[in-house]
Amino acid sequence: MRIQLTPGFVLHERPYRDTSALLELFTREHGRVGVVARGLRSRRSRLRGELQPFCPLLLSWQARGELGTLTGAERRPSAMLAPGDALFGGWYLNELLLRLLARGDPHPGLFDIYAGAVAALAAAEAPAPVLRRFEAGLLQALGYGLVFGHDVESGEPVQPDCDYDYRLESGPVRVPPGQAGGFVFSGARLLAMGEGRFEDAAVEKDARRLMRAALKLYLGDKPLKTREVLESLRR
Amino acid sequence: MSSPLIEELIEALRCLPGVGARTAQRMAYHLLERDRAGGRRLSAVLADAMDRIGHCAQCRTLTEDSVCRLCAGGSRDRSQLCIVETPADVAALEQATDYRGLYFVLMGHLSPLDGVGPAELGLDTLAERFAGGELAEVILATNPTVEGEATAHYISELARREGIRTTRIAHGVPLGGELEYIDGGTLSHAFAGRQEL
């Protein structure tokens, strides 16, 4: 099967043989795809400069079995992610996709969310809200979308002035006043998260706590490498 | 069908880059039929090198001494430090430029998705070197890839904390190149990094 100039990104590159590379692509129409880029690391490769991570690309490959062969790539004009928090944010997005998406499972909606997040990081927006919005979108696309709007036991709408125990596999359950313990969030914060108001630092902080726990359910015990490396750089 | 030992030799030679089954077989028969002395020498030197070559305590490049010749020698300018990714980059710069300072070899670049962080790159050794107060300039010669740029960025922050001047090698259009045939990424980088004449 030949695929011609379909929108996608390079998520990860690994050296393969002498001059080739194995690329993990994330494409709008075909989801995550593994391809061999022959001669990519050779002196004469013309694709070298085009195939940068975080650049919107038009990709062509020939699929045969598990791994396809890259036959072409065109770069669309875009800004680069600034080294530092923006770039680490981008790497974090890529690691989440590599860990949570299976190959050959298209998610056009998630692709658009990813493309938007990368563009926002490249435009030097504050990375944290961009990452939270992506995490929420990712969980939604994988079918694990978080509930923010109603109490999953009573079915009542979430009240801004009540506290809720967030049960990761179902959703928020109202906590009677005065009772402590559990994984508690205020109703106002949950409603703000549901509206995607992550620019508010307090909302973002709570969202980070919630998303981290929710993602851990699906990531398992193996920690995220980007997070470990970032933490060791900050030390 | 050749004997098990010959098969083993052919298989062992395939660990070399660019050597497939066919080339490995040619190499094995060449050594056995025509150049036993050369083969013995290769095996002795190879065993010796694999056992004795380690990393320079100062710059981390490959050497059989505890400190490599460049770092130990007195003829180099000790106030300049050029940071590169691999020992091969040191060789390339030594051949192409008249640089007289010292090097620091990271043996890689930051690559969080592969779990390569500051510890793997020896950035703690480098930070001690920066704090030593001997340096006037740090030249960042990591590759112009996303990972190389990120590595350069973090090292430049380390150096700046110690008040050391940091510079980055220029990148753009190759000498004798024609704009029309240059890939878009390189060209946009070259354009963004244009200089006053």
Side-chain angles (χ1 to χ4, degrees):
Chain A
M1 185 172 59
R2 275 175 172 280
I3 285 116
Q4 290 288 352
L5 297 175
T6 190
F9 286 87
V10 174
L11 294 180
H12 190 43
E13 179 189 325
R14 256 175 310 166
Y16 177 64
R17 301 245 173 106
D18 276 351
T19 55
S20 301
L22 281 177
L23 303 177
E24 287 291 342
L25 309 176
F26 182 40
T27 63
R28 192 170 193 284
E29 309 304 329
H30 305 270
R32 199 183 133 198
V33 182
V35 295
V36 177
R38 297 205 187 283
L40 182 66
R41 298 182 303 128
S42 78
R43 216 176 260 252
R44 278 195 299 273
S45 171
R46 286 220 27 173
L47 289 181
R48 180 80 279 194
E50 313 279 330
L51 283 172
Q52 299 288 329
F54 313 117
C55 282
L57 301 165
L58 292 172
L59 297 156
S60 308
W61 70 91
Q62 209 162 2
R64 207 180 26 176
E66 173 81 347
L67 278 181
T69 304
L70 190 78
T71 51
E74 284 176 24
R75 184 176 148 140
R76 292 189 285 172
S78 66
M80 309 270 275
L81 297 198
D85 287 348
L87 185 54
F88 262 94
W91 272 326
Y92 171 72
L93 303 186
N94 286 6
E95 189 172 18
L96 285 179
L97 290 176
L98 289 168
R99 288 278 295 274
L100 296 173
L101 289 188
R103 277 188 183 155
D105 187 9
H107 284 285
L110 180 59
F111 179 88
D112 294 340
I113 292 173
Y114 175 79
V118 168
L121 290 173
E125 279 184 30
V130 175
L131 301 187
R132 299 298 87 76
R133 206 162 290 130
F134 177 79
E135 288 166 341
L138 175 66
L139 288 167
Q140 187 83 44
L142 294 174
Y144 311 131
L146 296 173
V147 176
F148 298 110
H150 63 271
D151 182 319
V152 290
E153 265 184 12
S154 67
E156 302 279 316
V158 163
Q159 303 297 323
D161 47 359
C162 295
D163 280 346
Y164 292 84
D165 176 22
Y166 206 100
R167 310 212 173 140
L168 290 172
E169 289 175 65
S170 47
V173 175
R174 193 172 155 185
V175 185
Q179 187 187 309
F183 193 45
V184 177
F185 296 89
S186 82
R189 295 274 167 79
L190 287 177
L191 291 170
M193 287 182 217
E195 289 162 15
R197 285 193 270 122
F198 302 117
E199 275 74 14
D200 180 328
V203 174
E204 192 277 324
K205 207 171 158 216
D206 265 5
R208 181 184 302 206
R209 186 159 68 97
L210 178 60
M211 305 280 187
R212 199 178 266 215
L215 285 167
K216 195 163 186 293
L217 277 188
Y218 310 109
L219 288 167
D221 288 331
K222 212 172 126 212
L224 287 168
K225 290 175 185 160
T226 38
R227 195 179 284 155
E228 287 187 337
V229 169
L230 185 59
E231 279 165 7
S232 60
L233 276 171
R234 287 198 170 137
R235 240 176 268 140
Chain B
M1 193 62 202
S2 39
S3 75
L5 188 55
I6 298 175
E7 284 293 317
E8 205 185 328
L9 174 60
I10 292 172
E11 193 47 46
L13 285 166
R14 289 189 58 185
C15 73
L16 293 166
V19 175
R22 186 100 191 102
T23 316
Q25 188 179 329
R26 269 181 51 221
M27 288 174 163
Y29 282 122
H30 172 83
L31 291 176
L32 292 168
E33 289 171 31
R34 298 199 191 83
D35 200 0
R36 297 254 172 166
R40 283 202 188 90
R41 181 161 167 256
L42 174 64
S43 87
V45 174
L46 197 57
D48 203 23
M50 291 304 116
D51 289 340
R52 284 177 40 217
I53 291 178
H55 295 282
C56 168
Q58 286 182 23
C59 74
R60 296 190 7 123
T61 196
L62 294 167
T63 174
E64 68 269 34
D65 304 316
S66 63
V67 174
C68 74
R69 291 196 177 169
L70 270 181
C71 291
S75 62
R76 308 289 292 206
D77 177 355
R78 305 192 83 84
S79 69
Q80 282 184 313
L81 187 68
C82 177
I83 318 272
V84 295
E85 292 186 16
T86 67
D89 296 339
V90 174
L93 285 167
E94 281 296 289
Q95 279 163 24
T97 68
D98 56 358
Y99 177 62
R100 301 296 302 154
L102 296 175
Y103 293 92
F104 186 88
V105 185
L106 299 166
M107 307 299 288
H109 48 231
L110 277 182
S111 183
L113 292 175
D114 302 305
V116 179
E120 287 74 12
L121 302 178
L123 294 194
D124 39 351
T125 319
L126 191 60
E128 282 169 26
R129 186 86 170 261
F130 289 169
E134 203 180 32
L135 295 171
E137 182 183 3
V138 168
I139 302 160
L140 293 157
T142 52
N143 291 329
T145 57
V146 170
E147 290 86 357
E149 294 295 347
T151 313
H153 173 78
Y154 278 97
I155 295 174
S156 74
E157 285 193 346
L158 284 180
R160 210 160 290 146
R161 249 180 260 161
E162 300 292 338
I164 303 167
R165 172 174 180 240
T166 56
T167 53
R168 178 88 174 102
I169 55 163
H171 28 234
V173 182
L175 272 188
E178 289 176 48
L179 298 195
E180 186 188 347
Y181 296 111
I182 288 163
D183 68 86
T186 304
L187 197 53
S188 72
H189 219 131
F191 199 81
R194 63 189 181 276
Q195 289 173 356
E196 199 97 29
L197 281 183

